[in-house]
Amino acid sequence: MGTASVTEEFSTVDLLLGSGAETRAVDAFALALIKAERQARKLVTHLVYQFPTFGPAAVTALRNTLAGNRNVYFVGFLAGFDALYPQPIHALVGNQHNRLRARLDEAIDHRNKIFHGQLTTRSLNRQDLTELASDIKSWCTLLAEGSNNELGYDGFGRNSFQKSDTEPLRATEEAVWYGS
């Protein structure tokens, strides 16, 4: 896991950027942002699934709960992670956190405008969108490395609903559920 899974996950973004398509930059940008949001969601669902209350029988209910709530967004998943785990996202991302988080916030604002057919205030060009996609990939890479080292899961594995055997998650589970 870690860097290899990010490389694999972002291979479609790289294909888009390397294509001759007129919309390659906006398409790659949008897809990169979707991947970052998905990674955050999967990290949170992985953490939630560690609690002893949840097992294979709960997966459908957990998925349905998320699917049924239209008000769960990227910032909420990051806040959820920080609420569930003693090591916050900024520690997992490291010293690039503030710069990259600002770029992600900027990217989300631009994406929302673009998806609604509105003009952005910056009149983004291909280079701007390519740089945003690159910064999003950097965020995902750093978060994948940090979370893989800390949790044994990078947020890109296909099944986030799996029990972990890493010590930090077992210790967190015991502290939360047994009052340690």
Side-chain angles (χ1 to χ4, degrees):
M1 296 252 171
T3 305
S5 66
V6 174
T7 301
E8 182 180 322
E9 189 71 25
F10 276 79
S11 65
T12 51
V13 173
D14 295 336
L15 282 171
L16 285 167
L17 288 171
S19 76
E22 185 64 30
T23 60
R24 64 187 173 270
V26 73
D27 296 343
F29 158 73
L31 185 57
L33 191 51
I34 288 167
K35 290 179 179 298
E37 291 171 328
R38 181 171 173 253
Q39 180 188 30
R41 174 185 50 84
K42 290 181 85 166
L43 285 169
V44 170
T45 58
H46 184 71
L47 281 179
V48 167
Y49 195 71
Q50 302 315 303
F51 289 98
T53 303
F54 302 115
V59 171
T60 300
L62 289 167
R63 287 178 195 245
N64 289 342
T65 299
L66 281 174
N69 189 334
R70 296 178 48 97
N71 298 313
V72 180
Y73 299 103
F74 181 72
V75 295
F77 282 118
L78 296 183
F81 185 96
D82 287 350
L84 290 170
Y85 197 71
Q87 197 70 273
I89 290 285
H90 71 82
L92 298 180
V93 173
N95 64 4
Q96 291 293 309
H97 174 272
N98 291 346
R99 182 185 75 79
L100 293 173
R101 177 61 197 275
R103 293 289 282 166
L104 275 163
D105 291 343
E106 177 186 347
I108 290 168
D109 288 343
H110 292 316
R111 186 266 321 266
N112 292 344
K113 292 281 229 176
I114 291 167
F115 277 18
H116 291 98
Q118 301 170 0
L119 294 175
T120 63
T121 56
R122 282 199 36 221
S123 299
L124 299 171
N125 61 31
R126 184 173 289 146
Q127 183 64 34
D128 295 328
L129 292 166
T130 300
E131 288 171 3
L132 278 167
S134 177
D135 283 341
I136 294 165
K137 183 178 180 179
S138 294
W139 165 275
C140 290
T141 301
L142 292 170
L143 181 55
E145 290 170 353
S147 62
N148 194 47
N149 290 339
E150 183 72 24
L151 310 170
Y153 182 71
D154 67 0
F156 287 118
R158 293 295 168 225
N159 181 14
S160 62
F161 295 104
Q162 56 186 322
K163 294 294 184 184
S164 176
D165 60 359
T166 62
E167 182 58 36
L169 287 181
R170 286 197 314 270
T172 300
E173 175 184 311
E174 291 169 9
V176 169
W177 288 99
Y178 304 113
S180 301

